[in-house]
Amino acid sequence: MLSSSPLFMFGFERSGTTLLSMMVGAHSDIAVPFSLTGLWFKYYKKQKHYNYLQAANDLENMVDDLLAEERIKLWDVVLDRQEVLNDLPLNNFAVIVERFHLLYARKVGKKYWANIDIANLDYIYIVNQWFPTAKFLHIVRDGRDVALSHESYPYGASNILDCAEKWRYKLNLNIMAGKILGPKRYMIVKYEDLVLNTDATLKKICEFAGVEYSVSMLNYPEMIKKKVPLDKQWLWPALDKPPQRSKVGRWKNNMSEHKRIVFEHYAKDTLDELEYETYSIIPKRLFAFIYEAWCFFDRGGRIKRALRPFMWISAGSVREQREGR
């Protein structure tokens, strides 16, 4: 895996992307900095504000702004401005992306670099333009377990229907892109395999990436406190523990029938393509129909947004009562 053929990892939210990044980042030769959650694409789209990097001062301004970004500051190393800018060519955004990752790899004492970002799920075509020989590792997880995780996740989909539609659309789009890229450049790894058959799955990932397997990948819990900022660790409470087998197939015990029906109504084809267990024929239930209608009405969190003004009024009334007004 050469620096010109880096590994870009991604997946739908709550599909195990952080676990995957920690395991790969624990490899003795691969450096994986903390996810920038779309920061590269944000700056790629606003290049016009930097005169498309036509002059040295434009390049310097972008690098300075990147170094000031909170997500870059959350990396477990400090990048030197002059090292970033040293002989950096003009009018080439991809080289900036590469330079940041290469310097990170150098500072943690590793040969190669890889990137983790759920935003890669939406912009695989842009990454392919930056790095025409890049490899893409797509982690997928049973969508029903993803949906259950989203219910307790503050940044998740608004409801089961919303999650099913987004999960199906984004996975289908990337699976099609993967078929175009071919098996040498695109690989799907299942979260379930990563958890239940960790050693064998990591060996397959290493083979795909073009590096020797490193047993250090199994020791990823040792690096969590260093790699994951303290104020972010609550998002992954079990990340510093060995793979949690109990998180696989949770939907079988924790998802109600009506929610399963709604999810499979919208995403059964994708579940089937990924060879997950599904209904052979989705049953019809009155409560599932009612629940689906409610989800449709609440798509995008409409109900919560509509009630927000009243929640503020109610909160204000409570404060007034407490203050004796």
Side-chain angles (χ1 to χ4, degrees):
M1 183 174 62
L2 304 175
S3 62
S4 58
S5 302
L7 181 66
F8 281 79
M9 301 179 289
F10 57 94
F12 196 82
E13 283 182 299
R14 312 307 287 179
S15 292
T17 52
T18 304
L19 175 64
L20 174 66
S21 73
M22 293 299 147
M23 289 181 170
V24 174
H27 191 286
S28 57
D29 286 333
I30 307 176
V32 185
F34 193 60
S35 173
L36 296 184
T37 60
L39 191 68
W40 296 128
F41 307 107
K42 170 186 171 183
Y43 274 81
Y44 178 71
K45 291 179 179 179
K46 58 189 276 189
Q47 286 185 86
K48 62 181 180 180
H49 299 301
Y50 300 93
N51 194 31
Y52 294 98
L53 307 176
Q54 295 294 320
N57 66 307
D58 300 317
L59 192 61
E60 292 171 2
N61 289 337
M62 177 178 279
V63 167
D64 287 340
D65 288 346
L66 281 166
L67 289 172
E69 285 284 350
E70 178 188 5
R71 279 279 165 171
I72 296 288
K73 289 182 176 180
L74 288 178
W75 284 6
D76 52 316
V77 302
V78 177
L79 300 183
D80 179 76
R81 177 182 187 269
Q82 193 53 49
E83 284 185 310
V84 176
L85 289 169
N86 188 37
D87 295 325
L88 202 61
L90 299 175
N91 194 30
N92 193 333
F93 183 82
V95 175
I96 296 177
V97 176
E98 183 179 46
R99 177 64 57 85
F100 271 76
H101 284 89
L102 280 173
L103 286 176
Y104 176 85
R106 183 187 302 170
K107 286 184 177 293
V108 297
K110 298 188 178 183
K111 298 178 183 178
Y112 311 119
W113 64 270
N115 169 279
I116 181 70
D117 194 337
I118 58 173
N120 293 331
L121 193 70
D122 298 312
Y123 299 112
I124 190 172
Y125 67 99
I126 293 180
V127 176
N128 189 52
Q129 292 173 5
W130 294 344
F131 303 100
T133 60
K135 294 185 177 183
F136 299 91
L137 184 59
H138 182 183
I139 185 168
V140 301
R141 183 184 185 186
D142 189 311
R144 292 156 297 191
D145 279 341
V146 171
L148 284 178
S149 185
H150 272 244
E151 287 186 330
S152 59
Y153 183 57
Y155 312 112
S158 59
N159 55 54
I160 294 292
L161 183 153
D162 192 28
C163 187
E165 284 191 321
K166 291 177 180 177
W167 182 83
R168 175 182 181 272
Y169 173 76
K170 293 194 175 187
L171 262 65
N172 284 353
L173 200 63
N174 282 272
I175 289 171
M176 287 189 291
K179 290 177 180 178
I180 295 172
L181 290 168
K184 291 184 178 180
R185 295 190 58 207
Y186 174 89
M187 175 182 174
I188 286 179
V189 59
K190 285 188 174 181
Y191 170 83
E192 293 79 10
D193 292 334
L194 195 63
V195 171
L196 301 179
N197 198 7
T198 307
D199 195 58
T201 304
L202 290 177
K203 287 178 180 177
K204 290 180 181 178
I205 291 173
C206 289
E207 182 180 358
F208 171 71
V211 296
E212 293 291 327
Y213 172 65
S214 173
V215 70
S216 63
M217 300 174 82
L218 299 174
N219 299 325
Y220 71 92
E222 298 175 2
M223 55 187 280
I224 301 304
K225 289 184 179 180
K226 179 181 179 182
K227 294 271 294 185
V228 181
L230 183 62
D231 63 341
K232 304 291 182 184
Q233 290 178 15
W234 66 273
L235 291 167
W236 309 281
L239 193 59
D240 60 348
K241 299 176 177 61
Q244 302 293 292
R245 302 173 73 90
S246 62
K247 292 184 177 295
V248 173
R250 288 180 57 234
W251 64 270
K252 294 180 180 180
N253 296 316
N254 298 346
M255 178 173 275
S256 61
E257 182 188 46
H258 64 274
K259 288 185 177 181
R260 178 186 175 183
I261 289 172
V262 170
F263 192 95
E264 292 193 28
H265 178 73
Y266 284 86
K268 174 175 163 57
D269 58 341
T270 307
L271 288 167
D272 287 339
E273 180 168 357
L274 294 169
E275 299 182 345
Y276 287 114
E277 174 189 342
T278 62
Y279 287 120
S280 54
I281 299 176
I282 300 176
K284 296 181 179 180
R285 300 285 188 270
L286 176 60
F287 193 69
F289 175 79
I290 296 172
Y291 177 72
E292 181 178 347
W294 180 86
C295 285
F296 184 84
F297 180 74
D298 188 44
R299 182 180 291 170
R302 292 185 186 128
I303 294 177
K304 186 176 181 179
R305 292 200 308 272
L307 291 176
R308 190 171 295 153
F310 299 98
M311 293 170 66
W312 278 106
I313 292 173
S314 177
S317 299
V318 170
R319 284 196 301 270
E320 288 181 358
Q321 289 177 10
R322 288 177 177 174
E323 294 170 4
R325 294 180 184 177

